[in-house]
């Protein structure tokens, strides 16, 4: 892969972009995730959202590391639906096997209406 055309240039641009943002840029996503988790805890997401759907609490880096994209997407959709409902808008909880494009479209549509 080292000699593959285009690969080296992409890697160099990526490294240059990280250098321009500073040495801590690689960890920014982890900080954002910890902030998100703190805010969700303040809203009692464990009691109100997770227990209702029999889901485990999020780890400190749940969305920062791509581990299981399908599970992470469903968790995101579950939390988005709960937050929209918590904001006073009726929003149907997406199911695990719903079309991802339709789910995201519904979430974005509802958020635009805010």
């Amino acid at each position: 892969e080292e000699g593959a055309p285009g690969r080296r240039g992409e890697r160099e641009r990526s490294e240059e972009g990280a250098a321009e943002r500073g040495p801590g840029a690689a960890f920014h996503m982890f900080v954002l995730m910890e902030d998100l988790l703190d805010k969700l805890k303040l809203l009692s997401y464990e009691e109100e959202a997770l227990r209702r759907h029999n889901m485990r609490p999020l780890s400190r880096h749940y969305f920062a590391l791509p581990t299981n994209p399908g599970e992470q997407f469903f968790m995101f959709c579950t939390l988005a639906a709960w937050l929209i409902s918590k904001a006073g808008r009726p929003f149907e909880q997406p199911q695990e096997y719903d079309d991802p494009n339709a789910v995201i479209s519904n979430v974005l549509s509802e958020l635009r209406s805010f």
Side-chain angles (χ1 to χ4, degrees):
E1 293 220 17
E2 186 72 20
R7 289 291 205 190
R8 187 171 186 177
E10 291 172 14
R11 187 170 28 117
E12 287 173 357
R13 279 192 298 276
S14 173
E15 290 170 1
E16 287 172 6
E20 289 174 11
R21 293 180 293 184
F27 300 100
H28 183 67
M29 188 57 63
F30 294 97
V31 173
L32 288 176
M33 181 59 209
E34 288 184 21
D35 287 345
L36 170 67
L37 192 56
D38 288 342
K39 291 173 183 176
L40 287 172
K41 285 181 180 180
L42 287 172
L43 293 171
S44 303
Y45 90 104
E46 291 170 324
E47 294 82 22
E48 294 183 24
L50 298 184
R51 285 199 183 136
R52 181 178 310 150
H53 301 289
N54 199 25
M55 300 172 105
R56 295 181 322 224
L58 301 177
S59 70
R60 293 183 318 141
H61 304 130
Y62 185 78
F63 290 117
L65 299 171
T67 54
N68 183 342
E71 177 186 303
Q72 288 172 312
F73 179 76
F74 181 65
M75 178 64 80
F76 169 79
C77 293
T78 299
L79 291 174
W82 172 72
L83 287 168
I84 291 168
S85 297
K86 190 143 180 90
R89 303 275 183 124
F91 194 83
E92 188 175 326
Q93 173 64 41
Q95 301 302 310
E96 192 168 1
Y97 297 105
D98 286 350
D99 176 31
N101 294 317
V103 173
I104 289 298
S105 178
N106 291 341
V107 168
L108 290 175
S109 175
E110 193 62 40
L111 293 177
R112 285 186 192 109
S113 72
F114 277 104

